[in-house]
């Protein structure tokens, strides 16, 4: 049993956390950071076992051939949707939930299991270590720039920088911004070969599914400086993709590269105050 922060959904363990015998940690390091928040009601903790006993379920639904979303109800933490990318060389679990159960493990196993785990940044890594252990210690790709934010250490964690290829046809590209190690996942076979990006919180797709934004903190409305926005643009520009999936149900079905370029150009214009043309 491992403690899970109710506010952010991260599972604690090992040196960073405590077992059920010693009680939950005194604080959540992630929620105490300026990019997240501790709710006014205070720090609260749960476990996967407690969630399961309360009726929590994880269901998998196909979004397109080779890509499934996982919906956890009731939601835990930030409430993001994990995704399972299926390839001929194995499956990658993108941004695992802050919940795991025997039923959820069976559902994933029916789709071929998990060969690797990754996520855009520390906020959306949920119960990554428990998911890894459930699938023969599948490697967890965690960007080296953010390694101090690991709250459930494990030998399965693999640090990377710049780019990584956890499976053939899948690339992790470090963009920075929200966190120094914030990344996107590029799935070349997605969208019938036109390329798909899974954005995490590195890029936030707007409610119209036609615009995007980037932030240091989304809940606390902290923007990024111009240099960092340009860095994100520079690292996305060489990539071949046409579709984007966000972590909260958003979808840009096509034309995603142009949307990124236009939206971040508008962002920079507002930072500079050059807004006459917008």
């Amino acid at each position: 049993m491992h403690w899970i922060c109710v506010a952010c959904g991260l599972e604690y363990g090992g040196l960073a956390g405590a077992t059920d015998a010693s009680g939950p940690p005194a604080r959540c390091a992630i929620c105490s950071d300026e990019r997240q928040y501790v709710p006014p009601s205070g720090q609260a903790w749960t476990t996967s076992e407690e969630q399961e006993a309360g009726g929590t379920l994880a269901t998998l639904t196909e979004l397109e051939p080779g890509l499934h979303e996982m919906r956890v109800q009731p939601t835990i933490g930030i409430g993001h949707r994990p995704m399972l990318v299926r390839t001929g060389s194995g499956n990658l679990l993108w941004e695992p939930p802050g919940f795991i159960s025997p039923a959820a493990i069976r559902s994933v196993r029916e789709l071929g299991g998990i060969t690797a785990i990754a996520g855009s940044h520390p906020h959306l890594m949920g119960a990554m270590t428990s998911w890894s252990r459930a699938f023969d210690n599948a490697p967890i790709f965690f960007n080296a720039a953010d390694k101090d934010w690991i709250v459930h250490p494990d030998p399965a964690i693999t640090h990377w920088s710049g780019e990584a290829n956890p499976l053939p046809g899948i690339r992790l590209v470090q963009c920075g911004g929200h966190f120094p190690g914030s990344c996107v996942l590029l799935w070349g076979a997605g969208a019938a070969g036109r390329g798909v990006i899974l954005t995490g919180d590195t890029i936030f797709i707007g409610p119209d599914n036609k615009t995007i934004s980037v932030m240091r903190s989304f809940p606390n409305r902290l923007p990024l400086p111009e240099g960092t926005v340009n860095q994100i643009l520079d690292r996305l520009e060489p990539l071949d993709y046409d579709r984007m999936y966000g972590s909260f149900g958003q979808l840009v079905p096509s034309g995603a590269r142009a949307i990124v370029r236009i939206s971040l150009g508008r962002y920079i214009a507002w930072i500079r105050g050059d807004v006459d043309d917008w």
Side-chain angles (χ1 to χ4, degrees), residues 9-69:
L10 283 182
E11 178 188 82
Y12 278 67
L15 296 177
T19 65
D20 57 322
S22 57
R27 61 189 282 272
C28 174
I30 289 288
C31 290
S32 300
D33 178 60
E34 70 175 5
R35 282 163 287 208
Q36 186 54 16
Y37 62 93
V38 176
S41 57
Q43 193 75 66
W45 301 90
T46 186
T47 65
S48 284
E49 292 82 0
E50 183 178 67
Q51 293 178 75
E52 183 183 20
T56 297
L57 295 173
T59 57
L60 287 150
T61 304
E62 187 178 65
L63 297 173
E64 66 174 79
L67 183 66
H68 283 69
E69 68 173 1

Side-chain angles (χ1 to χ4, degrees), residues 185 188 198:
L185 182 150
L198 307 184

Side-chain angles (χ1 to χ4, degrees), residues 63-105:
L63 297 173
E64 66 174 79
L67 183 66
H68 283 69
E69 68 173 1
M70 181 186 293
R71 293 285 186 178
V72 175
Q73 294 292 337
T75 60
I76 176 68
I78 298 171
H80 71 285
R81 63 167 175 180
M83 285 183 260
L84 190 71
V85 186
R86 304 174 69 196
T87 79
S89 301
N91 299 342
L92 183 141
L93 178 61
W94 174 250
E95 300 183 330
F99 170 72
I100 188 169
S101 70
I105 292 168

Side-chain angles (χ1 to χ4, degrees), residues 100-187:
I100 188 169
S101 70
I105 292 168
R106 285 194 300 272
S107 294
V108 172
R109 201 177 298 282
E110 288 171 1
L111 293 173
I114 295 170
T115 308
I117 296 170
S120 63
H121 71 294
H123 286 169
L124 300 185
M125 294 302 285
M128 63 177 189
T129 299
S130 287
W131 278 101
S132 168
R133 292 173 181 174
F135 288 91
D136 301 319
N137 299 311
I140 302 166
F141 287 78
F142 202 105
N143 192 275
D146 300 333
K147 63 183 180 180
D148 290 343
W149 294 101
I150 294 171
V151 296
H152 195 167
D154 192 82
I157 296 172
T158 297
H159 296 304
W160 65 280
S161 295
E163 289 198 14
N165 297 93
L167 289 172
I170 295 178
R171 290 167 63 190
L172 304 176
V173 180
Q174 182 178 351
C175 299
H178 185 42
F179 273 75
S182 286
C183 72
V184 297
L185 182 150
L186 176 65
W187 174 39

